[in-house]
Amino acid sequence: QVQLVESGGGLVQAGGSLRLSCAASGRTFSWYSMGWFRQAPMKEREFVAGITWSTGRTYYADSMRDRFTISRENAKNTVYLQMNSLKPDDTAVYYCATRRGAVRGTANDYDYWGQGTQVTVSS
């Protein structure tokens, strides 16, 4: 059974940084991709970044490309999201998700989800 466990969220001031982690277990993820999504109150869940396990190729939402970095550590089955220059608009619950195949930018394309971790950016 696939399990995804996020960690690293918290409260940070505008301009600060956080690194989120997503520990994956339950199968071999060689043929899978991982995505980070976020959902703010009263808003739809939106794609932040994605990475393929096998090649490490990365994908970003245009608005976050310059501030966020996704990476993976295969030996630990862990994906990270480094977030810099955080803004109050980045406040949301951040989720990691996985799907077999290529990275997709739509939440419905992902099969497994973590429980989410809250990120709050104060002004």
Side-chain angles (χ1 to χ4, degrees):
Q1 182 178 357
V2 174
Q3 281 193 317
L4 303 176
V5 180
E6 302 100 333
S7 60
L11 174 64
V12 63
Q13 288 188 333
S17 299
L18 283 174
R19 189 178 80 156
L20 306 182
S21 300
C22 174
S25 62
R27 65 182 52 183
T28 301
F29 291 93
S30 301
W31 302 106
Y32 283 70
S33 294
M34 300 293 292
W36 282 101
F37 289 78
R38 69 184 186 183
Q39 189 166 20
M42 308 300 290
K43 293 188 176 180
E44 292 188 355
R45 194 166 295 190
E46 65 173 339
F47 176 76
V48 175
I51 189 168
T52 56
W53 276 109
S54 58
T55 65
R57 185 173 179 180
T58 58
Y59 304 80
Y60 295 93
D62 288 341
S63 62
M64 295 166 233
R65 182 181 304 276
D66 294 336
R67 300 184 295 121
F68 293 2
T69 303
I70 189 171
S71 61
R72 77 199 192 301
E73 188 172 358
N74 286 351
K76 293 185 177 182
N77 266 8
T78 299
V79 173
Y80 304 99
L81 184 68
Q82 177 68 42
M83 306 186 295
N84 299 326
S85 302
L86 284 163
K87 307 173 183 179
D89 285 347
D90 294 318
T91 295
V93 178
Y94 284 71
Y95 298 90
C96 67
T98 190
R99 66 180 306 276
R100 186 176 177 86
V103 172
R104 297 281 178 87
T106 305
N108 286 343
D109 287 329
Y110 288 77
D111 303 308
Y112 302 97
W113 291 82
Q115 83 287 352
T117 186
Q118 176 71 47
V119 172
T120 303
V121 184
S122 63
S123 57

